[in-house]
Amino acid sequence: MDFALLTADGAMFLLRWMHVFFGIVWIGHLYYFNFVQGAFFAETDAATKNNAITKLVPRALWWFRYGALFTFLTGVGLITGRMHQGFNFASSWGVNILTSMSMATIMFLNVWLIIWPNQKIVIASATQVLGGGQALPEAPGAAAKAGLASRTNVFFSLAMLFFMVGARNLNITTSETSNFVALAVVFGIIIIGIELNALKGKMGPLTTVKGVIHCGVALAVVMYVIAEVLL
Ligand code: HEM
């Protein structure tokens, strides 16, 4: 009896299975924070909010950031496997996977380098208040920085998923004259521009849940059309 899972393709499949599991753990928490928790915090009383920030949020953030880490690591494993298989980056697959990986890697860095360090300040502040002390003066600024990076990750996530699932399921039309370099430059400008806004910019239309979902869908559509036009 042959077991398909006990082959090199089977190993890639298992890695992809784990990758999607960790991806759900990560992005599921991202959507919970942005679609559910933010609205609850806005209307609940201060004591309940501080209780949640010290007891619920740290647990959710643990699953969130380790989900992000293991999604990234299994993603690196998958791309290493694909490179061994000699997959060609100048192809529909290459455009899809390089675009989605760039966005997802920036999202992963936002989690560990912006959201988590700033959330630690917010949690420390709420812990002091619950212990009878003063709120940390830097807490509101930290919450705003984490919030903008988190909203930016939701914004990126729709286009990221579009191209990642597209890698093996959406055949973007390419030809001998396809200009992959021009596409990389245009996509690079778009992605870096959005990330610069996450670092120093404003919420703008990302403030509301409806706004960020509309922006996310629009980004996926605009990037897809640009890819078809330039390739
Ligand atoms: C953090 C950085 C990430 C990297 C480096 C990465 C990389 C990859 C790679 C290399 C593949 C394999 C493509 C192929 O089969 O040729 C893949 C597939 C996939 N990824 Fe990611 N990924 C990342 C994040 C995510 C996230 C956050 C999700 C959300 C759930 C996700 C969902 C998927 C799905 C569903 C597939 C399967 C596509 C298919 O087989 O049809 N990835 N990813």
Side-chain angles (χ1 to χ4, degrees):
M1 204 191 313
D2 290 332
F3 281 79
L5 273 184
L6 303 179
T7 62
D9 278 351
M12 279 293 278
F13 170 79
L14 281 179
L15 202 52
R16 188 176 289 108
W17 181 47
M18 290 190 272
H19 179 68
V20 176
F21 168 72
F22 291 125
I24 293 169
V25 170
W26 172 17
I27 303 299
H29 279 87
L30 175 72
Y31 291 161
Y32 158 74
F33 287 133
N34 281 274
F35 299 166
V36 181
Q37 185 181 279
F40 171 71
F41 278 4
E43 69 178 36
T44 197
D45 58 278
T48 309
K49 186 174 166 184
N50 281 333
N51 235 327
I53 291 178
T54 51
K55 299 193 185 74
L56 181 138
V57 172
R59 288 188 168 88
L61 279 171
W62 187 88
W63 286 99
F64 174 70
R65 65 183 189 281
Y66 284 100
L69 177 64
F70 285 100
T71 307
F72 176 71
L73 293 177
T74 47
V76 170
L78 283 169
I79 198 65
T80 309
R82 285 297 190 218
M83 283 160 75
H84 274 292
Q85 291 169 341
F87 267 53
N88 173 18
F89 284 106
S91 65
S92 169
W93 172 83
V95 167
N96 276 304
I97 206 63
L98 289 177
T99 305
S100 55
M101 274 183 13
S102 313
M103 289 173 146
T105 301
I106 290 175
M107 290 167 62
F108 159 69
L109 295 174
N110 282 342
V111 168
W112 279 91
L113 302 181
I114 303 179
I115 299 172
W116 174 230
N118 282 295
Q119 284 292 354
K120 279 199 279 191
I121 296 172
V122 175
I123 295 167
S125 178
T127 308
Q128 287 211 165
V129 172
L130 280 182
Q134 291 289 314
L136 296 174
E138 61 270 38
K145 277 187 203 150
L148 180 56
S150 188
R151 276 300 152 96
T152 303
N153 275 7
V154 177
F155 179 28
F156 271 137
S157 71
L158 284 125
M160 182 277 288
L161 282 174
F162 180 95
F163 289 106
M164 191 150 290
V165 177
R168 283 156 42 91
N169 301 293
L170 176 71
N171 218 345
I172 299 171
T173 321
T174 57
S175 72
E176 298 278 292
T177 57
S178 287
N179 198 339
F180 290 100
V181 176
L183 184 67
V185 170
V186 174
F187 275 13
I189 291 171
I190 293 174
I191 293 170
I192 291 169
I194 293 172
E195 182 58 15
L196 286 178
N197 184 66
L199 298 176
K200 292 260 172 255
K202 297 212 161 31
M203 278 278 197
L206 307 184
T207 309
T208 63
V209 171
K210 198 171 160 189
V212 72
I213 293 175
H214 284 173
C215 288
V217 172
L219 180 65
V221 172
V222 167
M223 289 180 78
Y224 166 68
V225 172
I226 293 174
E228 290 285 12
V229 169
L230 287 182
L231 296 182

mmCIF file of all heavy atoms in Angstrom, residues 27 31 100 103 156-167:
data_model
loop_
_atom_site.group_PDB
_atom_site.id
_atom_site.type_symbol
_atom_site.label_atom_id
_atom_site.label_comp_id
_atom_site.label_asym_id
_atom_site.label_seq_id
_atom_site.Cartn_x
_atom_site.Cartn_y
_atom_site.Cartn_z
ATOM 1 N N ILE A 27 -4.793 35.148 11.846
ATOM 2 C CA ILE A 27 -5.706 36.114 11.229
ATOM 3 C C ILE A 27 -7.070 36.083 11.935
ATOM 4 O O ILE A 27 -7.757 37.098 12.009
ATOM 5 C CB ILE A 27 -5.834 35.859 9.706
ATOM 6 C CG1 ILE A 27 -4.425 35.915 9.051
ATOM 7 C CG2 ILE A 27 -6.759 36.885 9.043
ATOM 8 C CD1 ILE A 27 -3.695 37.243 9.185
ATOM 9 N N TYR A 31 -8.830 39.478 13.281
ATOM 10 C CA TYR A 31 -10.194 39.911 12.985
ATOM 11 C C TYR A 31 -11.013 40.064 14.274
ATOM 12 O O TYR A 31 -11.834 40.964 14.380
ATOM 13 C CB TYR A 31 -10.878 38.941 11.998
ATOM 14 C CG TYR A 31 -10.284 38.980 10.596
ATOM 15 C CD1 TYR A 31 -10.477 37.933 9.696
ATOM 16 C CD2 TYR A 31 -9.539 40.061 10.154
ATOM 17 C CE1 TYR A 31 -9.942 37.962 8.412
ATOM 18 C CE2 TYR A 31 -8.988 40.094 8.873
ATOM 19 C CZ TYR A 31 -9.191 39.039 8.003
ATOM 20 O OH TYR A 31 -8.652 39.077 6.746
ATOM 21 N N SER A 100 1.962 38.083 -2.135
ATOM 22 C CA SER A 100 1.305 37.735 -0.862
ATOM 23 C C SER A 100 2.337 37.540 0.245
ATOM 24 O O SER A 100 2.114 37.956 1.390
ATOM 25 C CB SER A 100 0.442 36.483 -1.025
ATOM 26 O OG SER A 100 1.196 35.419 -1.536
ATOM 27 N N MET A 103 3.507 40.977 1.558
ATOM 28 C CA MET A 103 2.514 41.586 2.452
ATOM 29 C C MET A 103 2.464 40.847 3.791
ATOM 30 O O MET A 103 2.462 41.480 4.854
ATOM 31 C CB MET A 103 1.131 41.536 1.799
ATOM 32 C CG MET A 103 0.999 42.475 0.633
ATOM 33 S SD MET A 103 -0.588 42.171 -0.162
ATOM 34 C CE MET A 103 -0.968 43.816 -0.689
ATOM 35 N N PHE A 156 -4.174 45.016 4.714
ATOM 36 C CA PHE A 156 -3.322 44.164 3.875
ATOM 37 C C PHE A 156 -3.932 42.771 3.685
ATOM 38 O O PHE A 156 -3.753 42.139 2.656
ATOM 39 C CB PHE A 156 -1.962 43.952 4.547
ATOM 40 C CG PHE A 156 -0.910 44.980 4.226
ATOM 41 C CD1 PHE A 156 -0.085 45.501 5.228
ATOM 42 C CD2 PHE A 156 -0.695 45.414 2.921
ATOM 43 C CE1 PHE A 156 0.905 46.429 4.942
ATOM 44 C CE2 PHE A 156 0.302 46.339 2.633
ATOM 45 C CZ PHE A 156 1.103 46.842 3.650
ATOM 46 N N SER A 157 -4.609 42.267 4.729
ATOM 47 C CA SER A 157 -4.929 40.837 4.775
ATOM 48 C C SER A 157 -5.794 40.367 3.602
ATOM 49 O O SER A 157 -5.614 39.248 3.115
ATOM 50 C CB SER A 157 -5.599 40.469 6.102
ATOM 51 O OG SER A 157 -6.919 40.995 6.164
ATOM 52 N N LEU A 158 -6.718 41.218 3.139
ATOM 53 C CA LEU A 158 -7.609 40.758 2.059
ATOM 54 C C LEU A 158 -6.845 40.541 0.749
ATOM 55 O O LEU A 158 -7.011 39.515 0.083
ATOM 56 C CB LEU A 158 -8.773 41.741 1.885
ATOM 57 C CG LEU A 158 -9.799 41.568 3.005
ATOM 58 C CD1 LEU A 158 -10.062 42.865 3.715
ATOM 59 C CD2 LEU A 158 -11.071 40.960 2.497
ATOM 60 N N ALA A 159 -5.971 41.507 0.408
ATOM 61 C CA ALA A 159 -5.174 41.335 -0.805
ATOM 62 C C ALA A 159 -4.145 40.213 -0.615
ATOM 63 O O ALA A 159 -3.890 39.420 -1.533
ATOM 64 C CB ALA A 159 -4.470 42.647 -1.162
ATOM 65 N N MET A 160 -3.580 40.129 0.599
ATOM 66 C CA MET A 160 -2.607 39.070 0.877
ATOM 67 C C MET A 160 -3.244 37.696 0.649
ATOM 68 O O MET A 160 -2.679 36.840 -0.040
ATOM 69 C CB MET A 160 -2.116 39.230 2.327
ATOM 70 C CG MET A 160 -1.070 38.243 2.777
ATOM 71 S SD MET A 160 -1.761 36.682 3.311
ATOM 72 C CE MET A 160 -2.521 37.111 4.857
ATOM 73 N N LEU A 161 -4.468 37.492 1.180
ATOM 74 C CA LEU A 161 -5.134 36.193 1.005
ATOM 75 C C LEU A 161 -5.517 35.955 -0.457
ATOM 76 O O LEU A 161 -5.450 34.826 -0.953
ATOM 77 C CB LEU A 161 -6.390 36.121 1.883
ATOM 78 C CG LEU A 161 -6.127 35.840 3.361
ATOM 79 C CD1 LEU A 161 -7.427 35.943 4.151
ATOM 80 C CD2 LEU A 161 -5.517 34.454 3.539
ATOM 81 N N PHE A 162 -5.933 37.027 -1.134
ATOM 82 C CA PHE A 162 -6.294 36.923 -2.550
ATOM 83 C C PHE A 162 -5.119 36.328 -3.336
ATOM 84 O O PHE A 162 -5.279 35.342 -4.064
ATOM 85 C CB PHE A 162 -6.646 38.333 -3.079
ATOM 86 C CG PHE A 162 -7.047 38.394 -4.520
ATOM 87 C CD1 PHE A 162 -8.387 38.359 -4.880
ATOM 88 C CD2 PHE A 162 -6.090 38.516 -5.524
ATOM 89 C CE1 PHE A 162 -8.767 38.436 -6.223
ATOM 90 C CE2 PHE A 162 -6.457 38.593 -6.854
ATOM 91 C CZ PHE A 162 -7.807 38.549 -7.202
ATOM 92 N N PHE A 163 -3.929 36.922 -3.158
ATOM 93 C CA PHE A 163 -2.778 36.457 -3.943
ATOM 94 C C PHE A 163 -2.208 35.137 -3.411
ATOM 95 O O PHE A 163 -1.706 34.330 -4.180
ATOM 96 C CB PHE A 163 -1.694 37.544 -3.996
ATOM 97 C CG PHE A 163 -2.091 38.719 -4.856
ATOM 98 C CD1 PHE A 163 -2.460 39.931 -4.302
ATOM 99 C CD2 PHE A 163 -2.124 38.600 -6.241
ATOM 100 C CE1 PHE A 163 -2.847 41.005 -5.102
ATOM 101 C CE2 PHE A 163 -2.508 39.667 -7.052
ATOM 102 C CZ PHE A 163 -2.873 40.875 -6.478
ATOM 103 N N MET A 164 -2.298 34.912 -2.096
ATOM 104 C CA MET A 164 -1.741 33.659 -1.570
ATOM 105 C C MET A 164 -2.567 32.461 -2.025
ATOM 106 O O MET A 164 -2.030 31.453 -2.483
ATOM 107 C CB MET A 164 -1.656 33.698 -0.051
ATOM 108 C CG MET A 164 -0.837 32.535 0.478
ATOM 109 S SD MET A 164 0.008 32.904 2.000
ATOM 110 C CE MET A 164 1.255 34.040 1.537
ATOM 111 N N VAL A 165 -3.882 32.576 -1.915
ATOM 112 C CA VAL A 165 -4.736 31.477 -2.392
ATOM 113 C C VAL A 165 -4.675 31.431 -3.921
ATOM 114 O O VAL A 165 -4.803 30.366 -4.531
ATOM 115 C CB VAL A 165 -6.185 31.648 -1.873
ATOM 116 C CG1 VAL A 165 -7.092 30.567 -2.424
ATOM 117 C CG2 VAL A 165 -6.197 31.597 -0.345
ATOM 118 N N GLY A 166 -4.391 32.599 -4.541
ATOM 119 C CA GLY A 166 -4.265 32.650 -5.999
ATOM 120 C C GLY A 166 -3.047 31.905 -6.527
ATOM 121 O O GLY A 166 -3.007 31.521 -7.699
ATOM 122 N N ALA A 167 -2.034 31.698 -5.655
ATOM 123 C CA ALA A 167 -0.778 31.103 -6.141
ATOM 124 C C ALA A 167 -1.023 29.847 -6.972
ATOM 125 O O ALA A 167 -0.444 29.676 -8.036
ATOM 126 C CB ALA A 167 0.139 30.805 -4.953
#
